[in-house]
Amino acid sequence: MARLNRENLNCKNDELKNVKSIIFDFDGTLHNTIKIYYPAFSSGVEFLRNHGFAKDFELNEKNVSKFLGEKPNFAYDLIAKGADEKLKREVMSLVGKKMDENIKNGLGELYAGTVKVLEELSEDYDLYILSNCRESYLDTALDVYGIKKYFKKYFAAETYDYLPKDEIIKKERQKIKEEIIFVGDRHHDMEAARKNNIMSIFCTYGFGSYEEGKDASYKISSIGEILKLL
């Protein structure tokens, strides 16, 4: 597949002419989640330290951003090794509530140009969201940012007991118009596209490393660039 770069950004590719549906990841793709996640996660780290865990974890945005887009338990399995599941559930609940509060209190933000992109794309494509997140978080965020109206449907991994994204797509694919393209910023987004044999767009501005997007069909450095691609 062709790769998008700064030189050919304005050259639309023939393989994209038949795209009917776009599946977006949320955090790191549409939503600059670190704004709400870092203060919430910091509260979680304090909670864990009070219980004897996460003593060696260096709390900074770079380290915390690595957990964005992963399943909720991913971070605590790493920084609170040895903690029982009850304690992990408690810290996940604490951080989740703080994130929801931060969104409602206006601490979060979409990436610049996101609303314009969704408005324009929704005129020609069916739009979806697939995120490794809680149902209440995604529902709250879409309401607060006023973008729920642009999506035909949105899928939170919690609904599927946190199945991998590629399996969620397989479950829902028959209801989604072909051709499909997946837009995301993490390795599991690209993996979900690859395993379902659909095209992918990697968001280099998100929270994933360059290596995570090495096999993407296309790469964009801002959400607005998708309008030049599609």
Side-chain angles (χ1 to χ4, degrees):
M1 291 180 180
R3 295 297 192 270
L4 179 72
N5 54 42
R6 301 299 298 183
E7 287 70 37
N8 66 10
L9 186 60
N10 293 310
C11 302
K12 303 203 179 201
N13 196 290
D14 286 345
E15 70 181 353
L16 298 174
K17 289 180 179 178
N18 294 323
V19 170
K20 298 288 192 298
S21 302
I22 307 170
I23 303 175
F24 288 95
D25 169 53
F26 186 60
D27 296 317
T29 298
L30 303 176
H31 187 214
N32 189 7
T33 322
I34 198 68
K35 300 281 187 178
I36 63 159
Y37 186 60
Y38 184 75
F41 193 84
S42 298
S43 298
V45 169
E46 181 181 1
F47 174 86
L48 288 172
R49 287 175 176 169
N50 289 338
H51 287 80
F53 298 98
K55 298 288 188 182
D56 298 326
F57 178 71
E58 186 177 348
L59 188 61
N60 58 55
E61 283 198 4
K62 182 179 179 181
N63 284 340
V64 172
S65 68
K66 295 174 183 176
F67 301 134
L68 280 165
E70 301 287 357
K71 296 175 183 179
N73 64 311
F74 180 83
Y76 311 109
D77 287 344
L78 286 177
I79 71 173
K81 290 179 180 177
D84 61 35
E85 293 305 312
K86 181 176 181 293
L87 186 69
K88 290 179 185 177
R89 286 194 297 270
E90 287 180 19
V91 71
M92 283 190 281
S93 177
L94 168 67
V95 172
K97 287 177 181 176
K98 291 284 187 183
M99 289 178 69
D100 291 349
E101 288 173 7
N102 290 344
I103 290 176
K104 292 174 183 176
N105 291 333
L107 296 184
E109 65 179 17
L110 300 173
Y111 288 107
T114 294
V115 175
K116 177 178 182 288
V117 165
L118 296 176
E119 186 175 11
E120 291 195 23
L121 290 179
S122 65
E123 294 177 359
D124 298 310
Y125 304 93
D126 288 344
L127 306 185
Y128 298 85
I129 287 179
L130 172 54
S131 177
N132 274 336
C133 68
R134 295 171 293 112
E135 295 171 351
S136 63
Y137 163 72
L138 186 55
D139 196 57
T140 297
L142 297 182
D143 276 338
V144 168
Y145 298 128
I147 59 173
K148 189 178 286 185
K149 61 188 176 183
Y150 298 119
F151 297 97
K152 191 172 182 70
K153 193 169 182 180
Y154 52 96
F155 310 107
E158 183 185 29
T159 309
Y160 305 86
D161 197 25
Y162 293 103
L163 282 174
K165 285 185 174 181
D166 62 281
E167 293 186 33
I168 296 174
I169 291 176
K170 286 174 185 173
K171 281 180 172 290
E172 299 292 343
R173 187 166 185 170
Q174 62 182 357
K175 306 170 190 172
I176 300 173
K177 290 180 185 176
E178 305 279 353
E179 298 285 331
I180 304 167
I181 194 165
F182 195 106
V183 186
D185 72 311
R186 297 303 312 270
H187 59 94
H188 39 66
D189 300 322
M190 301 302 101
E191 184 80 350
R194 184 185 67 78
K195 287 187 174 181
N196 283 279
N197 196 30
I198 61 178
M199 291 178 289
S200 59
I201 299 173
F202 184 71
C203 303
T204 62
Y205 57 85
F207 301 112
S209 65
Y210 181 83
E211 181 69 13
E212 292 181 51
K214 63 183 176 60
D215 295 324
S217 309
Y218 301 90
K219 296 181 178 71
I220 55 175
S221 58
S222 71
I223 190 61
E225 286 184 0
I226 198 171
L227 295 179
K228 299 176 182 179
L229 176 60
L230 292 173

